[in-house]
Amino acid sequence: LTAFMDVATANNTVAIVMAAPIARQISQEYHIEPKKTASLLDTCSCIAQGIIPYGAQLLIAAGISQISSMKIIPFLFYPYLLGICVVVSILMTREKHK
């Protein structure tokens, strides 16, 4: 949810603030701890912000290196690894509660 909003706004804070009320309802319905929900909101927004070519991080890196931000995307290991870690974390928590 936050990642999609981050793609639309290109701003982590705005994406988290917009997604928080919806995420809170979902977390209450499925009995997910508020700190886990907050962590997922923040982490997913960081993943999206790190990958989108018009995000601040890639624009700064592209400006410093004098290349297109699109040329940097294939070399973005951290956001992809962070995404894998989020999925593993969700799956491990899910298995733990079964």
Side-chain angles (χ1 to χ4, degrees):
L1 184 62
T2 309
F4 291 128
M5 290 186 184
D6 199 0
V7 168
T9 63
N11 186 311
N12 288 23
T13 305
V14 172
I16 292 169
V17 169
M18 288 173 38
I22 299 167
R24 183 175 184 204
Q25 288 177 343
I26 293 169
S27 68
Q28 288 174 343
E29 183 177 332
Y30 291 98
H31 308 291
I32 300 169
E33 294 180 57
K35 63 183 179 182
K36 178 78 170 179
T37 303
S39 175
L40 288 172
L41 286 174
D42 183 47
T43 306
C44 291
S45 72
C46 289
I47 293 166
Q49 185 71 24
I51 294 173
I52 56 176
Y54 49 89
Q57 291 88 337
L58 279 183
L59 290 177
I60 290 170
I64 291 170
S65 60
Q66 300 294 312
I67 60 173
S68 166
S69 60
M70 293 298 287
K71 290 184 179 182
I72 300 172
I73 291 177
F75 303 101
L76 298 176
F77 302 109
Y78 177 74
Y80 300 131
L81 290 174
L82 189 57
I84 291 168
C85 289
V86 166
V87 171
V88 169
S89 170
I90 291 169
L91 292 175
M92 287 176 60
T93 303
R94 189 171 160 212
E95 291 297 320
K96 188 173 155 182
H97 288 300
K98 282 185 178 180

